[in-house]
Amino acid sequence: MPDTRRARLAATAVHLPSRYRTMGAIRERIAASGGAYVPPAGLLEDLTGVRGVHVRDEGVQASDLAVAAATKALEAAGAGIDEVDLLLFAATSHDLLEPATAHIVAAKLGVVCPVFDIKNACNSVLNAVETACAFIAVGRYRTVLIACGETLTETTRWRLPDHEALLRAMPGYTVSDAGAALVLTAGPAGEHDPGVLSLVFGGNPTAWEACTVAGGGSLHGRSTDDEHTTLRLNGSLLHDAFDVLPLALEVLAHREMEAVRASAFIAFHQISMPQFLDTSTKLCLPADRCLATVAEHGNCGAASLPLQLVAAQESDRVEPGDLVGLIGLASGACFGVVQVRL
């Protein structure tokens, strides 16, 4: 008979590179790039509400950041390498186009098991949780390691011809390099047992052009054009896409959203302080149950939700038995709503 037990979140960990680049340092680098436009002092801070971002050392890859976080998560879960039945690499970033970065992570960890990548922008980790839950529910695997490594600072645009280019490139100034990992294991599915209780996903795929890194795929290939190799924002399209998400959440996930609002802690994807405030207001989230990590740590991509959860645990805002809500928002545009009992 298949094992239909609930997926339990055994451990969550993050790894943030020690190098830190302030917004002032970012402005200095823009000025040194030789572009025609340099933003006025303080403008980046005013527009984003972000103090600075984490930057990996030279030679450190997305897989290295994932391995650092995965090592912490496995230790916290009390799980050995040989207990991992499936490894999922879930991130916006990757080491290579081929093979899947999951293979590289597995090799560096010494894991011998099935592996594959899950890539859906900043919802990658949340989609990996959904995938892990499905495998665990049917008894396919018992212990799933989700590893995330984000090297997003490589998408920052430095040479700017004008103020409009700055606005289009703005997401690239708040992104951080980061690693994150989650260990999910099979557990009992009683009413009060820990585990992933619900998952709902949806989105608006017509808005896929709202935020892009166009280079490296078949559309623009090996382009070296800054417009294609750096984060590019279509502000009005992105605003319209995410403006309808609160309504979509209410329509598709009304019951889940009500449960999330009643959770002890609520994490949602963060790209700037204005977006943090706007999203919490539009989704009617209790301010005292959210945590604005973006101001200090920047936008950590798919590692954003694990970072918030770890920060909440380390500050004693949550404890075993508490309900936690995770809301993913990603370019594409898509969303996910997950509730977990710790």
Side-chain angles (χ1 to χ4, degrees), residues 115-277:
V115 306
F116 58 90
D117 287 3
I118 292 181
K119 187 179 182 68
N120 188 21
C122 297
N123 269 354
S124 298
V125 165
L126 215 55
N127 286 127
V129 169
E130 180 185 29
T131 304
C133 287
F135 278 129
I136 289 173
V138 300
R140 177 67 175 172
Y141 302 112
R142 292 183 56 85
T143 300
V144 179
L145 172 62
I146 299 171
C148 170
E150 295 286 29
T151 55
L152 297 172
T153 57
E154 66 187 357
T155 65
T156 303
R157 182 173 185 178
W158 300 113
R159 290 177 59 88
L160 297 172
D162 50 41
H163 182 71
E164 289 302 314
L166 170 75
L167 297 180
R168 290 195 301 271
M170 188 58 68
Y173 303 118
T174 67
V175 290
S176 272
D177 298 334
L182 295 81
V183 177
L184 284 88
T185 60
E191 181 180 359
H192 299 293
D193 287 321
V196 179
L197 305 183
S198 64
L199 309 98
V200 178
F201 290 84
N204 174 20
T206 63
W208 71 265
E209 291 178 286
C211 190
T212 61
V213 180
S218 61
L219 186 61
H220 293 289
R222 301 177 181 178
S223 172
T224 58
D225 188 329
D226 277 352
E227 290 286 334
H228 297 150
T229 59
T230 57
L231 268 171
R232 177 183 169 90
L233 175 69
N234 181 325
S236 60
L237 182 57
L238 184 69
H239 180 272
D240 292 344
F242 283 100
D243 205 40
V244 303
L245 283 185
L247 177 60
L249 283 168
E250 288 303 326
V251 172
L252 297 177
H254 175 72
R255 182 179 62 182
E256 289 78 12
M257 282 301 298
E258 287 302 309
V260 163
R261 293 185 183 104
S263 298
F265 180 72
I266 306 165
F268 61 91
H269 182 58
Q270 304 170 16
I271 62 175
S272 68
M273 279 305 298
Q275 176 265 346
F276 171 85
L277 298 171

Side-chain angles (χ1 to χ4, degrees), residues 64-80:
D64 296 315
L65 298 173
V67 166
T71 302
K72 294 179 185 178
L74 288 170
E75 182 178 356

Side-chain angles (χ1 to χ4, degrees), residues 264-265 285-290 317:
F265 180 72
L285 303 178
D288 61 340
R289 298 179 203 166
C290 303
R317 297 183 62 161

